[in-house]
Amino acid sequence: MNEKNIDIEKFYSSSLYKKMNLNSKPEVKSVKILVADDEELMRDSVKELLSLYELKCILACNGREALDIIAEQPVDILLLDLLMPEVDGFQVMKEVNKNYPDIDIIVTSGEATFKNATLAMRHGVKDFLHKPYIPSELIKVINNLIEKRELKCKLEEMYSYIKTSEQHYRFFVNNSPDIIYMLDQKGYFSFVNERITELLGYSQEEFIGHHYANFIHKEDLEKANFAFSTLSGNLDVTQKVEFRMLPKYPGSDTLCFESRSILVPLNSSDIPEKSIINNIFGIYGVARDVTEQKRSEEMIYFQLYHDALTELPNRILFKDRINFAISQANRNQQKLAVMFLDMDRFKIVNDSLGHLAGDKLLQEIARRLKQCIRDSDTLARVGGDEFNLMLADIKSKNDVLNLVNKMTLVLEEPFIIEGNEVYVTFSIGTAIYPEDGKNSETLIKHADMAMYNIKGKGKNGHEFFSDNLNDLFQQHLSIENGIRKALQDNQFEVYFQPQYNVASEKISGVEALIRWNHPEKGLVSPNDFIPLAEETGLINTIGEWMLDTSCQILRDWIRTHPAFLDLKLAVNISASQIETDNFCAFILETLEKYKLRPEQLELEITENVLMQDMELVVSKLNRLTRHGINIAVDDFGMGYSSLSYLQTLPLTNLKIDRSFISTIQSSGDKNSIISAIVAMAKELDMHIVAEGVENQVQMDYVRDIGCPTVQGFWYAHPMPTEQLKLIALQQYNAAQSA
Ligand code: C2E
Ligand code: MG
Ligand code: MG
């Protein structure tokens, strides 16, 4: 410590001194003064003098005693006579200088030679008083020494404070979880904490003196440049920016940081001296590693906007992309296409191969479809087996058709799922912006309607939206609402169509067929509303109503007349009814409710029940046949070509579809399919009904091929139940009287 530099007043007023919480001047420390003089008079007079100033002193009558006292107790100032017997002042000061350097020595001597003075100074003596001296001179010298001692003490405190504070600073800065940095006005690092090594692998030296651009990911550099440049000249702003920083070692992860920075004057008192440049500003910043946070944010974002199974965009993102594409198309006068793709018969795959296989198939489909589209297009999965596709910037509808062809080609190849070959087709609808809709909702809705229409036409195809479809859709909507109302207002009615025994030409049974007495449209055919009721699920309520009502009618007839005791009642059952949990229970309960024999009831199912979970269908139908209920396959020959299901299902009856019968137009016509069906049914011991027999020729034909039962306009149209009741009674009475 260079004492010459100490300006005590300046020190007391410094901020550091204030920070040290030492707001007042230090108290005069009680110093201990040892007076070593062989002259008693001298010792006593000094003692007296010092006591006047409340200064404590100890007396030693020679050099030896002085050294003994010093060895025993702390002494601050030594007033030392030079000439003493035995151990003189020089020996004492030599010893003290060597072993007790904190003791300040003032020599008091009558021998004030230059030589003595030099020698004394060389031994670290602080002052030299020539005896006899003026008392105030001694007091001044002592006070001076006391003040210096106090100052020295304070400085030591200050340096230790600075040292601790510096250690803390270093500790905090280097152990900060964040990177702390300083940039000079040109963007070169002038400081960076040790954290940089741990996070990015660089040493501090590899950073300091280098420009930030060397370490920031090039895609984020523009952002960083902008953020740092906006700080310029603005001391009140904190700039926040996110950027990725490049790690030293190429294989390591690129980390993402959120940096907050402010402008600081580089001549600030807290900056190391070498950085001080007057009136120049630099950037102080703290960069936090937000890589993990970013990753989880990205993950959440991804999950929010993507389908987990195929990783394709989901409905939300898809809409967003359309809206964006619309605004671009608008600006550039472009067209875009929104397509709705619905896989045909996905349920069969799912039910027969299991959901895992279904999932794999969907993933594979997504992969193949992606191959067909451009980067600017968006493929999304919006439902179980539904995909949406947006083609940005199309020139004409031909672009869509080309893509449909391309997709058809890639989908034609069988998918190998868990060793099974699966063939996939799609029903696709397309709406074009701007003509088919101005916003994402309308475009998707219209594409959906077009798809829906192709589904209705037998699936596996593509259709563009047209205004007619809109009308059709409205029609459907009004039918759907109408059905609900019809159920409430009892607008449905049961009609019976008789089935005749070919040999006896007598009514053997009736098929219950629904009719809708529409308040405005009159009698509506089931063909016009059953398919829609099936799609909407309303068929379940309708079906229950039909079964209950027709059983009730038969029960009432049986109660009034024996003619109906053996009459068979056939009721049509839709596939989705079989799926319901209480299907079997409901049927058995209804029979029980109306006290009908199970053998009297026949359930007509169509081949599309095969599109369901076969095991479940078979077990439910088996349960019913065990009770004696008959199961007929309706419209046989129209659906699946595979006949193997005939053996799987517990079928008792087979109704040949009328389209086969209608091929017989004149006598001599033959239809080998009908012959084959009849032969097969006989083989399987199934009863056969020929549907749609309209004329004598057809009647003769079915009789010739040995079909036992017919149902058709030749005998009777479906009719109100009361009408059928009369016919049946007449027939019964005629038979009775014969
Ligand atoms: P389906 O079960 O095959 O019923 C026979 C249909 O053929 C009836 O049409 C009947 O009127 C018609 N038909 C009978 N003989 C002839 C004929 O000689 N020539 C012609 N051209 N047609 C004949 P309908 O009553 O219009 O019923 C149509 C279809 O609606 C039914 O076909 C059946 O699939 C469905 N359906 C009717 N009622 C119900 C019901 O209560 N539930 C369910 N799920 N479907 C029903
Ligand atoms: Mg039927
Ligand atoms: Mg039929």
Side-chain angles (χ1 to χ4, degrees):
M1 188 192 312
N2 185 352
E3 289 174 18
K4 276 183 201 155
N5 288 343
I6 296 165
D7 177 340
I8 196 149
E9 286 310 321
K10 207 171 167 187
F11 168 62
Y12 288 143
S13 62
S14 75
S15 62
L16 180 64
Y17 180 69
K18 281 174 192 151
K19 267 191 221 164
M20 286 165 74
N21 246 342
L22 305 169
N23 292 325
S24 57
K25 281 190 182 187
E27 297 235 328
V28 174
K29 212 171 114 190
S30 56
V31 288
K32 220 182 241 179
I33 302 170
L34 174 62
V35 181
D37 205 314
D38 56 341
E39 284 176 55
E40 191 178 358
L41 203 63
M42 196 62 199
R43 290 199 299 269
D44 293 343
S45 71
V46 171
K47 185 179 181 183
E48 209 172 351
L49 175 67
L50 294 181
S51 69
L52 283 179
Y53 288 90
E54 291 178 18
L55 290 163
K56 283 181 211 146
C57 74
I58 319 158
L59 304 177
C61 58
N62 57 44
R64 165 64 42 222
E65 197 182 343
L67 286 175
D68 288 347
I69 290 171
I70 287 169
E72 275 164 20
Q73 54 184 290
V75 166
D76 300 304
I77 296 171
L78 171 61
L79 281 185
L80 184 63
D81 185 21
L82 281 184
L83 292 181
M84 287 184 290
E86 285 177 58
V87 179
D88 68 2
F90 288 109
Q91 280 173 282
V92 174
M93 69 177 77
K94 204 170 158 191
E95 177 77 12
V96 168
N97 195 28
K98 186 179 163 207
N99 295 322
Y100 309 97
D102 285 343
I103 298 178
D104 293 325
I105 307 170
I106 301 167
V107 168
T108 57
S109 174
E111 295 284 308
T113 62
F114 180 74
K115 188 182 158 218
N116 281 350
T118 331
L119 208 63
M121 289 306 174
R122 211 173 287 153
H123 283 104
V125 164
K126 293 287 175 342
D127 225 322
F128 200 104
L129 287 177
H130 185 244
K131 279 191 209 166
Y133 48 79
I134 313 165
S136 64
E137 214 177 324
L138 174 67
I139 292 303
K140 197 177 153 199
V141 168
I142 289 177
N143 266 344
N144 232 338
L145 273 184
I146 290 175
E147 218 165 272
K148 278 188 181 173
R149 289 182 73 84
E150 281 170 352
L151 183 59
K152 187 181 167 198
C153 178
K154 284 295 147 202
L155 279 173
E156 271 164 9
E157 256 180 71
M158 183 181 80
Y159 278 108
S160 109
Y161 175 86
I162 292 172
K163 203 172 158 202
T164 324
S165 147
E166 150 85 7
Q167 276 168 350
H168 281 171
Y169 155 81
R170 212 166 268 290
F171 179 82
F172 290 134
V173 167
N174 285 330
N175 288 286
S176 156
D178 306 327
I179 292 175
I180 296 173
Y181 64 88
M182 287 278 318
L183 296 177
D184 69 14
Q185 58 169 165
K186 287 186 175 153
Y188 289 85
F189 283 98
S190 56
F191 173 79
V192 67
N193 65 348
E194 285 174 5
R195 191 85 179 122
I196 201 78
T197 313
E198 207 171 310
L199 290 174
L200 295 169
Y202 301 95
S203 68
Q204 286 166 292
E205 291 68 37
E206 283 170 314
F207 246 72
I208 294 170
H210 294 272
H211 198 271
Y212 69 78
N214 296 327
F215 305 100
I216 290 181
H217 194 289
K218 67 174 187 303
E219 285 170 18
D220 297 340
L221 198 53
E222 206 174 315
K223 266 200 296 189
N225 288 342
F226 178 76
F228 290 138
S229 68
T230 47
L231 281 173
S232 132
N234 213 338
L235 278 169
D236 305 325
V237 173
T238 305
Q239 193 54 256
K240 195 173 122 180
V241 62
E242 263 180 27
F243 46 69
R244 282 161 292 171
M245 289 186 87
L246 308 168
K248 179 175 174 183
Y249 304 105
S252 326
D253 285 351
T254 300
L255 301 182
C256 183
F257 290 88
E258 181 191 272
S259 163
R260 283 165 197 270
S261 47
I262 51 166
L263 200 64
V264 285
L266 284 184
N267 53 358
S268 147
S269 61
D270 293 334
I271 304 300
E273 214 166 321
K274 59 178 177 183
S275 305
I276 296 179
I277 310 161
N278 279 342
N279 296 324
I280 288 184
F281 293 92
I283 287 168
Y284 165 80
V286 174
R288 171 157 300 183
D289 174 10
V290 290
T291 316
E292 271 311 307
Q293 184 188 329
K294 282 256 91 150
R295 259 183 220 148
S296 50
E297 272 172 22
E298 270 164 25
M299 181 99 92
I300 291 170
Y301 174 86
F302 191 84
Q303 285 168 350
L304 214 63
Y305 294 106
H306 290 82
D307 160 51
L309 181 69
T310 56
E311 298 193 344
L312 290 177
N314 63 11
R315 194 187 299 268
I316 309 171
L317 184 56
F318 185 68
K319 274 194 182 173
D320 215 55
R321 295 260 175 97
I322 299 184
N323 288 332
F324 180 73
I326 285 178
S327 59
Q328 269 198 329
N330 231 345
R331 226 174 300 131
N332 308 331
Q333 304 276 303
Q334 290 164 333
K335 283 172 182 281
L336 59 95
V338 173
M339 304 174 76
F340 207 109
L341 294 82
D342 188 290
M343 189 178 151
D344 303 325
R345 300 188 191 88
F346 177 62
K347 208 172 172 315
I348 298 183
V349 179
N350 240 357
D351 289 346
S352 52
L353 298 181
H355 288 272
L356 271 178
D359 285 354
K360 277 195 190 136
L361 177 64
L362 288 167
Q363 284 171 327
E364 189 54 23
I365 287 173
R367 206 184 54 78
R368 287 199 197 172
L369 289 178
K370 263 202 289 197
Q371 290 172 358
C372 304
I373 59 172
R374 305 165 298 178
D375 284 348
S376 53
D377 303 333
T378 302
L379 176 69
R381 179 168 174 241
V382 295
D385 57 352
E386 292 171 345
F387 294 87
N388 277 183
L389 182 54
M390 180 197 62
L391 309 184
D393 183 21
I394 53 156
K395 299 283 167 285
S396 71
K397 286 185 171 180
N398 269 340
D399 290 352
V400 176
L401 294 175
N402 288 338
L403 178 73
V404 170
N405 288 338
K406 213 162 143 189
M407 290 195 295
T408 314
L409 274 178
V410 298
L411 294 173
E412 243 168 31
E413 281 293 303
F415 291 83
I416 310 294
I417 304 293
E418 291 173 355
N420 301 289
E421 275 194 5
V422 180
Y423 290 87
V424 164
T425 60
F426 270 87
S427 299
I428 307 170
T430 301
I432 306 284
Y433 174 86
E435 51 259 46
D436 297 337
K438 298 275 185 282
N439 55 44
S440 56
E441 282 82 17
T442 319
L443 288 164
I444 295 172
K445 190 175 93 186
H446 286 171
D448 188 10
M449 278 161 65
M451 179 283 290
Y452 188 81
N453 202 45
I454 204 85
K455 272 251 145 114
K457 285 185 190 165
K459 310 183 173 77
N460 187 17
H462 169 259
E463 184 159 328
F464 284 105
F465 171 79
S466 69
D467 285 338
N468 300 345
L469 282 181
N470 223 349
D471 300 343
L472 204 75
F473 189 74
Q474 289 307 325
Q475 239 173 314
H476 279 184
L477 207 67
S478 91
I479 295 176
E480 191 185 328
N481 293 333
I483 295 175
R484 291 179 207 280
K485 196 159 166 27
L487 280 164
Q488 270 171 25
D489 298 356
N490 252 331
Q491 293 170 9
F492 289 122
E493 190 184 337
V494 178
Y495 268 43
F496 280 155
Q497 186 179 26
Q499 291 175 350
Y500 280 81
N501 181 307
V502 175
S504 67
E505 296 206 304
K506 293 219 175 74
I507 296 175
S508 57
V510 291
E511 176 175 6
L513 294 160
I514 195 165
R515 292 294 179 266
W516 180 1
N517 287 308
H518 196 281
E520 287 136 34
K521 297 180 193 157
L523 210 58
V524 181
S525 152
N527 290 324
D528 295 338
F529 67 90
I530 291 288
L532 201 79
E534 283 176 335
E535 268 166 39
T536 53
L538 286 165
I539 191 67
N540 296 338
T541 321
I542 294 177
E544 288 190 356
W545 180 86
M546 272 299 281
L547 185 82
D548 186 273
T549 313
S550 43
C551 284
Q552 189 183 358
I553 293 169
L554 184 61
R555 191 269 320 260
D556 292 347
W557 290 359
I558 292 172
R559 276 185 181 171
T560 55
H561 207 280
F564 307 105
L565 266 175
D566 294 321
L567 189 72
K568 277 197 172 162
L569 170 67
V571 181
N572 292 286
I573 299 292
S574 279
S576 83
Q577 282 178 265
I578 306 180
E579 254 181 14
T580 56
D581 289 339
N582 69 340
F583 172 68
C584 293
F586 176 76
I587 288 175
L588 296 171
E589 278 163 19
T590 310
L591 288 176
E592 178 62 28
K593 184 173 161 191
Y594 298 116
K595 299 281 176 268
L596 294 179
R597 285 178 293 117
E599 297 74 29
Q600 260 182 294
L601 183 65
E602 181 172 283
L603 303 178
E604 293 192 6
I605 59 169
T606 48
E607 288 165 276
N608 63 4
V609 296
L610 298 174
M611 290 174 68
Q612 301 175 65
D613 183 346
M614 274 297 278
E615 248 174 63
L616 197 71
V617 171
V618 170
S619 89
K620 285 187 177 186
L621 296 184
N622 268 333
R623 187 174 160 202
L624 296 176
T625 47
R626 274 200 301 275
H627 278 85
I629 294 169
N630 300 294
I631 310 287
V633 57
D634 201 357
D635 307 338
F636 182 75
M638 288 302 285
Y640 277 72
S641 48
S642 157
L643 301 178
S644 59
Y645 72 91
L646 287 180
Q647 283 149 312
T648 326
L649 289 170
L651 302 171
T652 44
N653 213 342
L654 195 150
K655 295 183 79 176
I656 303 170
D657 191 72
R658 72 163 186 270
S659 58
F660 294 108
I661 306 297
S662 68
T663 59
I664 309 297
Q665 288 302 333
S666 45
S667 58
D669 281 355
K670 282 195 171 67
N671 186 325
S672 53
I673 299 177
I674 302 178
S675 314
I677 292 173
V678 172
M680 182 189 66
K682 281 186 177 158
E683 188 79 12
L684 293 169
D685 203 17
M686 286 169 77
H687 189 80
I688 301 170
V689 180
E691 278 192 297
V693 174
E694 291 182 345
N695 51 46
Q696 185 69 58
V697 177
Q698 290 167 348
M699 190 61 224
D700 292 342
Y701 175 77
V702 296
R703 188 185 293 113
D704 287 352
I705 60 166
C707 177
T709 314
V710 292
Q711 179 182 345
F713 294 171
W714 171 245
Y715 279 114
H717 283 252
M719 59 186 82
T721 52
E722 280 309 307
Q723 199 180 329
L724 187 112
K725 188 183 175 189
L726 285 178
I727 297 174
L729 276 176
Q730 277 169 10
Q731 195 183 290
Y732 181 81
N733 292 335
Q736 291 297 310
S737 56

